[in-house]
Amino acid sequence: MVTDSYPRNLGFSATYNFRDVGGYTGLDGRTVRWRRLFRSDALHRLGDADEMAFAQLGVRTVIDLRRPLEVEKFGRVPERYGLDYHHLVLNHIDWETIEQPLLENQERWLADRYLNFAEDGRAALRTSLQVIADPRRAPVIVHCMAGKDRTGTVCALALALLGVSDEDIAADYALTTAAMRRLTDYLLKVNPEAVNGNEHMFDSPPGAMLLFLDDLRALHGSIEDYVREIGLTDDEVASMRAHLLTD
C-alpha cells in the first residue's frame, strides 16, 4: 500500500532514476516518511540547471556504492553541495564473468547476484544501513551507477526493516524499469559498449526482488536476523524505525 504525498520520481536534468522511497505502509500501519531517503543513479551529472531544485530537498548525506574505478572514471556528486559523502564500496563478483541467463531464468540470475551482494558486500551494507538509521544524517541519498542493483539491495533491506511488504518493496524496485529505458538511450549515445551485449543487466523484474527476500530469510531466518549477523544493532534498527516511520 502506498500513500501519495509527494512526487516519487524527481526528474533532474541528467539523472534518470532519482526517486523518493517514502509513502509505503510499514510497521503497525505507519508510513515511511517522504523526503528522508532517496535512491538514485550516479550523481556526477547533476548540473547547474538542477542546483536549486536539488538544494530544496535538503539532502545532508550521500552513500556512493560504486567501485573506485567507477568513481575515478565518472566522478562523484559535486562537492559544491557540501554534502557528507560516504564512499562505501559494495564488493561483489564481477557480473561480466558470469554466464548470461536464459530469458526464463532472468529473475533467478538477478536474485543470485543480490544474494552475492548480501555475502561479499556485508561491510558496505552494514555501514549504509547504519548511516540510514541515524536521524542526524537525513535526508540521505543511496546511489550506484544505475540505481538499480546495489542501490536496490540497500533500499530493499531498509524498507524490509521498516515493515514494508515484500510486494511493495518489489514494486518499488521494478519502478527502475522505465528509468532504465531513458538511461540506456543516453548510454547508447555516449557509451554504447556499456549496453550492447549487457541488456540483461538493465532489467528489474519484481520477481527477482521477491526471490532475493525469500532466499535471504531462508538462509538467515529473517531480515532482522541477517542485519544483526552483519553487525547492525537492535538500537540502530529502532532508530531507523523511529525517524523514518510516521508516528
Side-chain angles (χ1 to χ4, degrees):
M1 181 178 175
V2 181
T3 302
D4 292 326
S5 296
Y6 293 90
R8 183 170 302 285
N9 295 293
L10 299 165
F12 294 115
S13 64
T15 62
Y16 299 92
N17 197 19
F18 193 124
R19 62 183 191 268
D20 196 323
V21 300
Y24 295 108
T25 299
L27 290 170
D28 304 320
R30 297 158 71 190
T31 302
V32 179
R33 294 185 187 276
W34 293 96
R35 296 304 188 255
R36 302 288 284 176
L37 179 60
F38 301 94
R39 56 181 296 168
S40 181
D41 51 325
L43 298 174
H44 61 277
R45 293 185 299 268
L46 281 173
D48 293 342
D50 305 306
E51 188 164 358
M52 183 177 295
F54 183 76
Q56 287 175 346
L57 296 177
V59 171
R60 293 180 180 175
T61 306
V62 169
I63 297 171
D64 184 344
L65 301 169
R66 295 174 299 163
R67 293 173 169 178
L69 284 175
E70 292 172 308
V71 178
E72 181 180 339
K73 181 176 180 179
F74 298 104
R76 46 156 285 183
V77 62
E79 293 187 30
R80 69 176 180 273
Y81 291 115
L83 304 178
D84 184 15
Y85 176 76
H86 296 257
H87 185 203
L88 305 176
V89 180
L90 202 163
N91 293 321
H92 60 88
I93 296 170
D94 191 338
W95 287 24
E96 284 80 6
T97 67
I98 302 170
E99 185 177 355
Q100 293 186 20
L102 298 172
L103 182 61
E104 60 268 26
N105 295 331
Q106 176 70 349
E107 292 179 355
R108 179 72 269 165
W109 189 87
L110 283 167
D112 287 345
R113 305 287 72 73
Y114 304 157
L115 286 169
N116 172 240
F117 292 166
E119 295 306 320
D120 289 359
R122 286 180 171 215
L125 292 175
R126 179 189 65 245
T127 307
S128 296
L129 293 171
Q130 288 171 331
V131 170
I132 292 168
D134 186 345
R136 297 168 298 179
R137 307 285 192 183
V140 175
I141 303 172
V142 182
H143 82 87
C144 51
M145 280 305 297
K148 183 177 88 72
D149 303 303
R150 291 167 286 189
T151 297
T153 300
V154 170
C155 289
L157 292 173
L159 290 173
L161 291 173
L162 296 173
V164 176
S165 70
D166 286 4
E167 291 72 21
D168 279 346
I169 294 171
D172 182 79
Y173 163 79
L175 291 175
T176 293
T177 298
M180 288 303 95
R181 296 190 193 106
R182 296 178 58 234
L183 178 59
T184 53
D185 285 346
Y186 165 78
L187 290 174
L188 285 169
K189 295 175 183 176
V190 300
N191 187 24
E193 61 271 20
V195 178
N196 294 326
N198 296 319
E199 289 81 2
H200 61 291
M201 295 186 186
F202 292 89
D203 293 338
S204 52
M209 183 55 67
L210 293 172
L211 282 171
F212 165 65
L213 293 170
D214 283 346
D215 289 346
L216 200 62
R217 292 190 183 98
L219 290 168
H220 299 277
S222 68
I223 305 300
E224 288 84 353
D225 288 338
Y226 168 73
V227 299
R228 289 189 194 101
E229 188 176 319
I230 67 173
L232 209 68
T233 67
D234 290 344
D235 285 347
E236 287 167 333
V237 173
S239 175
M240 182 186 296
R241 292 169 175 169
H243 88 89
L244 285 180
L245 291 169
T246 58
D247 297 332

